[in-house]
Amino acid sequence: MEIPSEATIKVEPDIVPEESDVLKCFATAAECGVEDEEVPNTVASINSTAFLRSVPSRRPPGRVVAVCTQQMSKNQRSIEPEERQAIYNLLKSFNSLGTFSNEMVKTLNIRNLLLNLLGETAITVKPYEYPEPLQRNASIILERLDIDIAAEAELEESKVSPTPDSVHKRRRKTKIQSPTSELSRLSMEDSHLQHVMRGIVIIGGSRRTYLLDRDHRPGPRDCKIAGNNGLVVGDWWPLRICALRDGAHGAIQAGIAGSSQTGAYSIVVSDHYSGLDKDLGDTLFYSGSNSHSNEDPKTPHVSFATKAMRASCAHRQPVRVIRSGKAEGKFAPRKGLRYDGLYSIEAEAIEKNAKGGAYVRFTLVRCPGQLEIDMSRPNRREKEAYDLLKEIA
């Protein structure tokens, strides 16, 4: 498989990157410092291949990465050449699979493996870091995966006690039709819910899943664009996949979306780092990945996402801030997610968590000249649509 070479560009606000953008380029073997070897390209062959040659028995792909991570963290060392080759081959195999499916992702444990490589899983108590080219490849695959497969999404709802106007209202259940494809499409009588869920397919069951409708036009907006990207302060969504559809935030789960080279494009303010983050409205204190788990008092954990925030700070590139209903503080929306404008990353500091471990915390300041944060969103109709969405069986 021919892999395109790297091209470096500078992303200007609200300008769509060209196809040669580094974000679309899978890092070559040479960039990763490994040999370009033949790799398995089916789920069965990937699952039965001994990628790490020093391990005599075959292990699932996720176990190979977990072993590498544990050794790097425990011994506080860099990745070894054999590990680097094994992980490059794994990622190259994943990249050759084409369209991802839920079954494929679960069988190979792809999401957890990628998050591990990106430094987004709290499986160690000491920091570890994979080389940037490998992380870039993992990020590219994760972006594809989020677009391709159903997102097992939870509605974002504030922990604040409900007000009278947000009390659950009984309505007729939304009809879910079954088209010729295996996906069920929303057919709703509530016009506002139709609007906020446009282009989204919902699959019923004990746990609802959502994904982008490939046949819907216009298609999803590219999230990898700096600036407002066509959004207006106060734009609101019930689910993260809706924010992804509109180009607000390019990750289904991660709080930071972006590249370690071009910077972060957006962040979601939630309760993930409760007790470490602080929201003052026009000023945010926002923590890097694994801030709670690190126990090393001197060295913070630096993930791919944290590198993206550092790049935005260095390039003076503002990021989109989306607040979640799960966030703490008076500036969080009651339900769902709300776009609150552009913030510049002014500084970073090394702080200490409850375990005495070091973590990176960024200071973000809201850019001047924007509309005020729209505390009226979600409005009454949006709250009703949100509550109706919770009723869908």
Side-chain angles (χ1 to χ4, degrees):
M1 182 176 65
E2 183 178 354
I3 303 173
S5 60
E6 178 181 347
T8 303
I9 66 166
K10 181 179 179 181
V11 179
E12 299 294 340
D14 289 4
I15 295 179
V16 180
E18 298 294 330
E19 287 300 313
S20 60
D21 185 341
V22 66
L23 293 174
K24 299 182 184 297
C25 292
F26 198 81
T28 64
E31 290 176 88
C32 294
V34 299
E35 297 296 321
D36 193 8
E37 301 177 342
E38 292 295 321
V39 298
N41 57 9
T42 66
V43 172
S45 60
I46 292 172
N47 220 17
S48 62
T49 296
F51 284 90
L52 197 55
R53 297 189 183 100
S54 63
V55 179
S57 60
R58 288 184 172 87
R59 298 190 178 190
R63 182 61 184 157
V64 170
V65 175
V67 168
C68 293
T69 299
Q70 289 165 2
Q71 290 300 313
M72 289 166 62
S73 174
K74 179 181 178 180
N75 300 315
Q76 287 296 279
R77 65 166 173 81
S78 300
I79 190 171
E80 294 183 347
E82 183 186 21
E83 296 167 338
R84 186 189 294 259
Q85 182 73 62
I87 291 172
Y88 175 81
N89 288 348
L90 258 176
L91 294 175
K92 184 179 176 182
S93 291
F94 292 159
N95 199 47
S96 69
L97 287 175
T99 302
F100 291 109
S101 67
N102 268 316
E103 182 178 359
M104 180 190 302
V105 171
K106 290 177 181 178
T107 299
L108 297 175
N109 197 23
I110 297 177
R111 182 183 290 280
N112 288 337
L113 183 155
L114 297 175
L115 292 175
N116 190 333
L117 290 172
L118 294 170
E120 296 295 337
T121 54
I123 63 172
T124 64
V125 296
K126 291 184 178 180
Y128 69 93
E129 185 175 344
Y130 282 95
E132 192 279 335
L134 291 178
Q135 289 189 318
R136 191 198 323 160
N137 287 353
S139 177
I140 290 170
I141 296 170
L142 185 60
E143 288 176 5
R144 279 183 47 209
L145 185 150
D146 278 341
I147 294 292
D148 286 348
I149 72 167
E152 294 189 336
E154 294 181 5
L155 293 171
E156 307 267 343
E157 187 164 9
S158 173
K159 296 179 179 179
V160 179
S161 299
T163 56
D165 64 341
S166 65
V167 173
H168 176 72
K169 298 182 179 181
R170 299 299 298 174
R171 285 171 173 257
R172 284 187 293 175
K173 296 269 183 163
T174 298
K175 298 177 182 177
I176 304 181
Q177 300 175 339
S178 297
T180 53
S181 69
E182 295 180 357
L183 306 178
S184 298
R185 301 173 188 276
L186 288 174
S187 174
M188 293 165 287
E189 297 175 3
D190 186 285
S191 60
H192 202 79
L193 186 55
Q194 280 184 330
H195 174 70
V196 297
M197 293 297 289
R198 68 192 182 280
I200 305 297
V201 175
I202 185 169
I203 302 173
S206 59
R207 183 175 177 87
R208 286 165 294 164
T209 57
Y210 306 86
L211 70 161
L212 297 172
D213 184 350
R214 296 179 181 276
D215 297 329
H216 186 268
R217 294 292 180 272
R221 187 181 299 162
D222 189 354
C223 296
K224 298 186 290 294
I225 298 174
N228 285 304
N229 197 18
L231 303 173
V232 176
V233 171
D235 281 347
W236 178 88
W237 309 274
L239 299 167
R240 281 204 184 199
I241 197 166
C242 300
L244 185 149
R245 173 202 62 205
D246 291 348
H249 188 66
I252 292 293
Q253 296 181 0
I256 301 170
S259 160
S260 62
Q261 293 191 343
T262 59
Y265 298 113
S266 58
I267 65 171
V268 173
V269 180
S270 67
D271 64 343
H272 193 63
Y273 292 113
S274 176
L276 302 181
D277 292 350
K278 191 173 183 180
D279 188 353
L280 303 178
D282 286 345
T283 301
L284 283 171
F285 297 96
Y286 195 83
S287 303
S289 305
N290 286 347
S291 295
H292 277 309
S293 62
N294 187 32
E295 295 182 2
D296 189 308
K298 296 181 179 180
T299 307
H301 183 86
V302 179
S303 68
F304 189 72
T306 302
K307 294 175 185 176
M309 293 289 281
R310 284 179 166 173
S312 287
C313 183
H315 299 160
R316 306 300 299 165
Q317 176 177 288
V319 300
R320 294 186 290 274
V321 168
I322 296 103
R323 284 185 170 88
S324 161
K326 294 180 178 179
E328 297 177 342
K330 66 179 182 180
F331 296 99
R334 289 284 182 179
K335 306 167 186 281
L337 304 110
R338 185 188 64 222
Y339 177 53
D340 287 343
L342 297 174
Y343 284 64
S344 62
I345 304 175
E346 296 295 325
E348 73 167 85
I350 305 300
E351 305 288 351
K352 295 292 181 67
N353 59 27
K355 299 178 180 179
Y359 72 94
V360 180
R361 190 168 79 166
F362 297 94
T363 301
L364 290 82
V365 177
R366 198 164 189 266
C367 298
Q370 302 182 89
L371 296 174
E372 295 296 319
I373 297 172
D374 191 349
M375 300 297 294
S376 69
R377 307 290 292 274
N379 57 34
R380 179 182 61 81
R381 289 296 309 281
E382 289 165 339
K383 291 174 184 177
E384 289 178 352
Y386 178 97
D387 291 338
L388 179 58
L389 186 59
K390 292 183 70 173
E391 287 188 25
I392 297 175

